[in-house]
Amino acid sequence: MTTVLTPASPLTAADRCDRCGAQAYLRVVLLSGGELLFCAHHGRKFEPELKKIAAEIQDETERLTAPKDAPDEES
Protein backbone atom coordinates (compact mmCIF):
# COMPACT_ATOMS: atom_id res chain seq x y z
CA MET A 1 0.00 0.00 0.00
CA THR A 2 1.30 3.48 -0.75
CA THR A 3 1.97 5.16 2.55
CA VAL A 4 2.32 8.82 3.38
CA LEU A 5 3.06 9.46 7.01
CA THR A 6 1.24 12.56 8.08
CA PRO A 7 2.90 14.15 11.10
CA ALA A 8 -0.37 15.68 12.32
CA SER A 9 -2.88 13.71 14.36
CA PRO A 10 -1.72 10.13 14.81
CA LEU A 11 -4.57 7.64 15.00
CA THR A 12 -5.83 6.79 18.49
CA ALA A 13 -7.99 4.07 20.02
CA ALA A 14 -10.94 6.44 19.60
CA ASP A 15 -10.55 6.34 15.79
CA ARG A 16 -12.81 3.59 14.46
CA CYS A 17 -13.03 1.76 11.12
CA ASP A 18 -15.77 3.21 8.92
CA ARG A 19 -16.61 -0.29 7.72
CA CYS A 20 -16.78 -2.40 10.91
CA GLY A 21 -16.13 -0.19 13.92
CA ALA A 22 -12.82 -1.84 14.93
CA GLN A 23 -9.84 0.33 15.85
CA ALA A 24 -8.58 2.22 12.81
CA TYR A 25 -4.97 1.89 11.71
CA LEU A 26 -5.31 3.57 8.30
CA ARG A 27 -6.47 7.07 7.45
CA VAL A 28 -7.26 7.66 3.78
CA VAL A 29 -7.45 11.30 2.70
CA LEU A 30 -9.53 11.42 -0.45
CA LEU A 31 -8.79 13.47 -3.54
CA SER A 32 -12.26 14.96 -3.06
CA GLY A 33 -11.22 16.26 0.37
CA GLY A 34 -12.91 13.83 2.74
CA GLU A 35 -11.29 11.11 4.80
CA LEU A 36 -11.98 7.47 5.59
CA LEU A 37 -10.69 5.35 8.47
CA PHE A 38 -10.09 1.61 8.21
CA CYS A 39 -8.90 -1.25 10.38
CA ALA A 40 -5.95 -3.20 8.98
CA HIS A 41 -8.25 -5.93 7.59
CA HIS A 42 -10.49 -3.58 5.62
CA GLY A 43 -7.54 -1.42 4.58
CA ARG A 44 -5.99 -4.48 2.91
CA LYS A 45 -9.32 -5.60 1.47
CA PHE A 46 -10.04 -2.26 -0.20
CA GLU A 47 -6.43 -1.36 -1.05
CA PRO A 48 -6.78 -1.41 -4.88
CA GLU A 49 -9.83 0.87 -4.80
CA LEU A 50 -8.37 3.16 -2.15
CA LYS A 51 -5.19 3.76 -4.15
CA LYS A 52 -7.33 5.10 -7.01
CA ILE A 53 -9.14 7.70 -4.90
CA ALA A 54 -6.57 8.60 -2.22
CA ALA A 55 -4.59 11.81 -2.05
CA GLU A 56 -2.63 10.21 0.79
CA ILE A 57 -2.76 7.15 3.01
CA GLN A 58 -1.57 7.21 6.60
CA ASP A 59 -0.73 3.61 7.50
CA GLU A 60 -0.07 2.81 11.15
CA THR A 61 -0.50 -0.97 10.90
CA GLU A 62 3.10 -1.48 12.09
CA ARG A 63 1.75 -0.73 15.58
CA LEU A 64 -0.02 -4.09 15.48
CA THR A 65 3.29 -5.98 15.49
CA ALA A 66 5.48 -3.59 17.50
CA PRO A 67 6.52 -4.93 20.92
CA LYS A 68 4.42 -3.30 23.65
CA ASP A 69 7.46 -2.50 25.78
CA ALA A 70 9.35 -0.85 22.92
CA PRO A 71 10.19 2.81 23.59
CA ASP A 72 8.26 5.39 21.64
CA GLU A 73 10.29 6.70 18.68
CA GLU A 74 9.38 10.29 19.55
CA SER A 75 10.79 10.04 23.10
Side-chain angles (χ1 to χ4, degrees):
M1 182 172 288
T2 302
T3 304
V4 175
L5 296 177
T6 305
S9 65
L11 294 168
T12 69
D15 293 309
R16 309 313 287 180
C17 176
D18 289 327
R19 181 71 176 131
C20 70
Q23 184 172 348
Y25 288 94
L26 287 108
R27 174 180 285 124
V28 181
V29 178
L30 304 173
L31 293 170
S32 62
E35 83 172 13
L36 297 171
L37 301 175
F38 290 101
C39 63
H41 165 78
H42 284 110
R44 284 189 302 270
K45 181 176 180 180
F46 299 123
E47 178 181 0
E49 293 83 10
L50 292 173
K51 285 182 173 182
K52 294 175 187 175
I53 61 170
E56 58 183 83
I57 297 175
Q58 178 181 348
D59 184 350
E60 297 184 10
T61 55
E62 74 281 351
R63 293 177 27 214
L64 292 168
T65 56
K68 291 185 184 214
D69 60 338
D72 188 359
E73 290 181 31
E74 295 179 10
S75 298

